[in-house]
């Protein structure tokens, strides 16, 4: 459980974040935002170091979790529980979003102003316009998850493909233990080393987070916030409601106070907030749930990488609110059936979104396309996307951590090693 050292570490990260935020805002409002370029590389280095650990850590930990689970049945049981949790909580998140956006109606009377697809960068615009409808999306996610070349998947850090490959060779290894022994030993060693490396990188977290906050705030400040304030408020209130729900679930399952859980998870949550990437946060989440919340190693190793890749409650909620906001802003009436399609596609788009900054904005086009809303609408919400990304990523990571707690508590004592 959480020791003094990790509490101190979390406090340092909190202080660094607030200090970065304040300094960034001062630079922004004194027109000195350009100076942030001198600290920005520290943030970039921090994110790159975290990303560096992802591939070896995900590959080795999923594989080791599989071989340590002992039987394909235990694996199936854990997988079913994890997927069940992802499905139910993502649906609840979207539900919160839909209720709030229909109550607050942030898009009615919103000014379309200068917003438009022209605001999208060329690269993003081409990604957005190449998206398709619901059926193609489902097929696309499944087909995309299968690696045709595992080495390429590892090289390109395609996390879902890496997970599929690790699961497949993990299953084969369960049936051929003797043959797999040298490979398992190597994977065990890679896993240990990756975790040790993660601890090293975590020591840099206060510096990295300080620099990232200065950079984001100095460049964007709270520009555009006022014209989109009702929309932002809807997303933020939705995220807050969902976080309270997740906190309740975690509290009940762990039999611990919400404050204890919040403190225990502060390092991954603050890292998620400042990096806007569930994938970059994964190594920290992985170490924290085991060390501070006592989640069993095998559960954390299997459930977290999967969760970071496909379980995005915050993104799903944000996508449903954004789609309806855009419809309202364009004065388009959405029938109940369209809202149900939004409910389904927002959940799917979140599964398909990569765990990197801004990914949710790109998969927005799946939701818009499915109900025939103009893709140009994405331009409307672009200005505040980075800020909302910070909050939704925090909720994504919180959902992953709570999922690990829930799955761990649902497994029989003898199903998983301690
Ligand atoms: N940045 C989010 C994440 O990494 C994905 C998104 O853009 O919603 O979890």
């Amino acid at each position: 459980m959480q020791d003094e050292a990790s509490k101190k570490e979390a406090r340092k990260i909190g202080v660094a974040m607030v200090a970065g935020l304040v300094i960034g805002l001062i630079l922004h409002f004194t027109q000195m935002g350009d100076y942030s370029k001198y600290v920005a590389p520290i943030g970039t280095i921090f994110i790159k170091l975290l990303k560096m650990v992802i591939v070896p850590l995900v590959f080795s930990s999923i594989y080791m979790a599989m071989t340590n689970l002992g039987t394909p049945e235990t694996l199936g049981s854990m997988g079913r529980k994890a997927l069940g949790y992802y499905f139910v909580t993502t649906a609840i998140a979207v539900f919160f979003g839909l209720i709030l956006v229909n109550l607050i109606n942030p898009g009615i009377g919103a000014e379309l102003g200068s917003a438009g697809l022209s605001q999208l960068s060329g690269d993003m615009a081409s990604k957005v316009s190449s998206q398709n409808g619901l059926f193609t999306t489902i097929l696309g996610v499944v087909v995309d998850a299968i690696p045709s070349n595992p080495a390429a998947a590892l090289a390109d850090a395609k996390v879902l493909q890496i997970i599929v490959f690790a699961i497949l060779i993990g299953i084969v290894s369960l049936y051929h233990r003797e043959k797999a022994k040298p490979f398992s030993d190597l994977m065990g060693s890679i896993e240990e080393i990756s975790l040790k490396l993660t601890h090293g990188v975590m020591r840099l977290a206060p510096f990295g987070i300080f620099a990232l906050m200065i950079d984001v705030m100095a460049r964007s400040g709270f520009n555009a916030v006022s014209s989109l304030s009702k929309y932002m408020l809807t997303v933020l209130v939705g995220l807050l409601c969902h976080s309270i729900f997740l906190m309740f679930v975690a509290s009940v399952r762990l039999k611990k106070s919400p404050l204890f859980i919040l403190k225990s998870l502060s390092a991954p949550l603050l890292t998620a907030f400042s990096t806007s990437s569930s994938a970059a946060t994964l190594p920290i989440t992985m170490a924290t749930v085991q060390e501070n919340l006592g989640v069993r190693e095998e559960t954390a190793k299997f459930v977290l990488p999967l969760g970071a890749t496909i379980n995005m409650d915050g993104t799903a909620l944000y996508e449903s609110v954004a789609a309806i906001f855009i419809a309202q802003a364009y004065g388009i009436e959405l029938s109940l059936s369209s809202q149900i399609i939004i409910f389904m596609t927002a959940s799917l788009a979140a599964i398909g979104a990569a765990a990197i900054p801004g990914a949710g904005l790109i998969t927005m086009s799946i939701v818009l396309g499915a109900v025939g809303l103009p893709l140009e609408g994405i331009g409307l919400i672009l200005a505040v996307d980075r800020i909302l990304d910070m909050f939704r990523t925090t909720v994504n990571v919180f959902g992953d951590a709570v999922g690990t707690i829930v799955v761990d508590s649902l497994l029989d004592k003898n199903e998983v090693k301690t």
Side-chain angles (χ1 to χ4, degrees), residues 272 275-281 308 311-312 314-316 318-319 349-350 353-363 385 388-390 392-397 400:
T275 60
S276 291
S277 168
S278 321
T281 312
N311 180 45
M312 295 198 186
T315 302
Y318 145 85
E319 302 219 358
I356 54 169
L361 190 71
I362 293 169
T363 57
D385 188 69
L388 290 182
D389 198 3
M390 297 163 92
R392 66 180 187 252
T393 308
T394 311
V395 175
N396 289 345
V397 169
D400 298 337

Side-chain angles (χ1 to χ4, degrees), residues 45-108:
I45 291 174
F46 174 59
I47 295 195
K48 283 180 101 175
L49 286 170
L50 283 172
K51 285 188 173 168
M52 181 180 78
V53 199
I54 297 171
V55 170
L57 184 65
V58 168
F59 187 43
S60 61
S61 56
I62 290 254
Y63 178 83
M64 289 311 289
M66 303 259 328
T67 48
N68 287 342
L69 281 174
T71 61
E73 287 71 36
T74 322
L75 174 73
S77 156
M78 193 184 277
R80 274 194 302 279
K81 286 177 177 113
L83 291 179
Y85 167 87
Y86 300 155
F87 180 76
V88 172
T89 52
T90 303
I92 291 173
V94 178
F95 192 66
F96 276 132
L98 286 178
I99 299 265
L100 282 166
V101 74
N102 280 294
L103 280 178
I104 301 177
N105 291 319
I108 294 181

Side-chain angles (χ1 to χ4, degrees), residues 339-378:
Q339 298 228 14
I340 293 173
I341 294 179
I342 291 181
F343 179 86
M344 282 158 44
T345 46
S347 313
L348 263 174
I351 295 175
I356 54 169
L361 190 71
I362 293 169
T363 57
M364 256 316 293
S365 55
I366 296 172
V367 187
L368 298 181
V371 284
L373 289 170
L375 290 183
E376 287 81 356
I378 292 177

Side-chain angles (χ1 to χ4, degrees), residues 64-65 68-69 78 296-303 416-417:
M64 289 311 289
N68 287 342
L69 281 174
M78 193 184 277
R296 281 169 292 185
E297 202 185 327
E298 304 317 329
T299 319
K301 285 194 312 199
F302 184 75
V303 178
V416 176
K417 285 195 250 172

